[in-house]
Amino acid sequence: MTISKQIIAQMPKIELHCHLDGSISLETIHKLAKMENIPLPATLEEQQALFIAPEETKDLNEYLEKFHFIGRLLQTTAALELAAFDVVKQASYDNVKYIEVRFAPTLHTMKGLTLQEIVSAVVKGLKRGEVEFGVLSNALLCGMRHEPVENAIEVAKVAKSQLTHGVVGFDLAGNEVDFPPYAFEEAIKVAKDLDIPLTLHAGECHCGKNVYDAVVLGANRIGHGIALKDTPEYIEYIKENEIVLELAPTSNFQTKTVTSWEEYPFKKFLDLGLKVTINTDNRTVSNTTLNKEYAKLAEVYDLTLKDFYKVSCNGVFGAFVDDEVKKELGEIVNEEFEKLNGH
Ligand SMILES: [Zn+2]
């Protein structure tokens, strides 16, 4: 029997892959529009069309178009802080115990904020959410692939300066088709030399070699990594290096990374012993929650409590936190799953 939605809601979760700008609730979008004096379309349908990607998009780049409007609302420190707070609040509804929220500081400079100001505002919102909702929260900084490599290098340096202040890692996001890992080799090297933990989007656009390349270049975790399914020759390498894969089912279908459940590799990766995790990617753009993502996988694969426990443990393993925090998170995961086992 498929695990019930009630049990799923009570599972302790670790979420490693969630974008700030793609995950702001409609309620907070309304608040932000008012604060920033930017009118929204009149009807709910029109508003949703602006922020939510259809189930069928052409490709990753069409999916990414849904981020344009929301970006305009996130150009002040007050807006960024509120947005970050809002995402932690939503994570608490999914019983997330630890979340890493990622964003690209260079997308929030339209009104003259500095990268440092942007990062501080987001971290402030995350930490306020952490206190209010009891969800441990940290930030990941993204370099954008369509921007010059110099920008990503600048972002990596900002990440370093804030590493003990709520920022825990660096990522490369955006158009993977035109800008594969080696196009950003220089930026990745700077981040590596600065000892910044790395999670890189790769394998979201039908290229399994990108996953391998990203790890060779130094990634500790991979955003999605779906295309690894088509390049079995790299799987052992990913496994041996204990690379955590951040899957996000709804998003992976929307971006046409896969088109059918037969080819979706979640269970295959899990059974092979790869360190898979489940994530939302974008709660708003993908119109989802982490509970929904869990429920979807539970139904498709008839997953057991043990499978989900493994997923949470992989999340703890991959979290960019020190050993002491990992131990605490591990204890919370163990305790809460034990309670569920008793049901
Ligand atoms: Zn992503």
Side-chain angles (χ1 to χ4, degrees):
M1 206 176 68
T2 307
I3 291 184
S4 73
K5 290 205 169 89
Q6 287 87 334
I7 296 287
I8 284 173
Q10 291 173 56
M11 286 178 192
K13 303 176 188 77
I14 309 292
E15 185 168 19
L16 302 179
H17 195 126
C18 176
H19 292 262
L20 175 71
D21 53 357
S23 302
I24 303 165
S25 67
L26 216 50
E27 186 193 345
T28 295
I29 288 176
H30 278 244
K31 270 190 211 163
L32 292 172
K34 213 172 239 172
M35 274 165 62
E36 304 303 311
N37 224 350
I38 295 174
L40 291 176
T43 71
L44 184 63
E45 278 91 27
E46 287 169 314
Q47 290 169 17
Q48 286 173 332
L50 261 189
F51 310 117
I52 300 174
E55 278 177 35
E56 293 283 320
T57 60
K58 197 165 86 262
D59 55 19
L60 173 63
N61 285 340
E62 190 187 329
Y63 180 82
L64 294 174
E65 281 170 18
K66 292 294 163 189
F67 293 83
H68 291 165
F69 186 89
I70 192 77
R72 291 175 53 210
L73 300 178
L74 299 172
Q75 300 298 331
T76 64
T77 54
L80 287 161
E81 188 190 333
L82 180 63
F85 179 79
D86 175 69
V87 174
V88 180
K89 182 181 181 180
Q90 292 177 73
S92 74
Y93 298 153
D94 287 319
N95 200 24
V96 170
K97 300 298 175 187
Y98 174 72
I99 188 166
E100 287 175 10
V101 177
R102 62 186 74 196
F103 65 103
T106 53
L107 298 179
H108 307 285
T109 56
M110 287 176 200
K111 286 190 181 168
L113 289 180
T114 65
L115 299 186
Q116 293 280 0
E117 284 168 337
I118 291 160
V119 174
S120 300
V122 172
V123 168
K124 202 169 160 195
L126 293 178
K127 293 299 162 187
R128 197 156 65 79
E130 181 176 295
V131 171
E132 180 100 10
F133 307 109
V135 182
L136 199 60
S137 310
N138 282 316
L140 298 168
L141 305 192
C142 307
M144 292 306 293
R145 290 182 142 118
H146 67 274
E147 293 181 7
V149 175
E150 292 70 34
N151 286 18
I153 291 173
E154 196 55 39
V155 170
K157 287 179 181 166
V158 173
K160 177 67 181 180
S161 73
Q162 303 282 330
L163 259 192
T164 48
H165 306 283
V167 174
V168 293
F170 176 76
D171 171 32
L172 285 173
N175 181 350
E176 184 192 343
V177 182
D178 301 314
F179 305 98
Y182 272 99
F184 276 80
E185 185 178 5
E186 205 188 332
I188 297 169
K189 194 173 177 312
V190 168
K192 246 4 240 178
D193 289 347
L194 291 171
D195 276 332
I196 305 169
L198 277 184
T199 172
L200 302 176
H201 281 76
E204 205 179 0
C205 64
H206 310 283
C207 186
K209 175 126 191 326
N210 283 355
V211 178
Y212 173 76
D213 287 348
V215 175
V216 169
L217 286 170
N220 310 87
R221 300 191 332 227
I222 293 291
H224 308 296
I226 302 294
L228 192 62
K229 70 182 172 56
D230 306 320
T231 50
E233 64 272 31
Y234 300 128
I235 288 181
E236 202 46 43
Y237 179 80
I238 300 300
K239 191 176 164 181
E240 264 172 30
N241 285 282
E242 300 188 297
I243 302 302
V244 171
L245 302 173
E246 306 155 357
L247 276 65
T250 300
S251 165
N252 297 151
F253 274 80
Q254 280 176 305
T255 56
K256 284 276 194 314
T257 304
V258 290
T259 52
S260 74
W261 283 108
E262 284 73 42
E263 56 171 334
Y264 197 63
F266 174 82
K267 191 66 166 53
K268 180 184 165 187
F269 286 175
L270 188 71
D271 291 344
L272 282 169
L274 291 170
K275 294 200 174 297
V276 284
T277 59
I278 307 169
N279 305 273
T280 58
D281 204 12
N282 297 288
R283 279 176 167 74
T284 310
V285 176
S286 285
N287 196 19
T288 194
T289 64
L290 197 51
N291 283 339
K292 278 194 200 169
E293 297 300 302
Y294 270 55
K296 209 175 241 188
L297 294 179
E299 199 182 323
V300 171
Y301 299 111
D302 214 6
L303 297 176
T304 62
L305 210 52
K306 213 170 147 192
D307 293 325
F308 284 113
Y309 172 70
K310 186 81 206 142
V311 168
S312 287
C313 291
N314 290 343
V316 173
F317 178 85
F320 291 154
V321 292
D322 61 31
D323 289 346
E324 201 177 311
V325 178
K326 270 189 205 219
K327 193 166 160 267
E328 282 166 26
L329 287 171
E331 281 165 8
I332 293 170
V333 164
N334 285 343
E335 264 169 40
E336 296 203 8
F337 267 100
E338 252 164 51
K339 270 189 225 156
L340 291 175
N341 246 329
H343 277 260

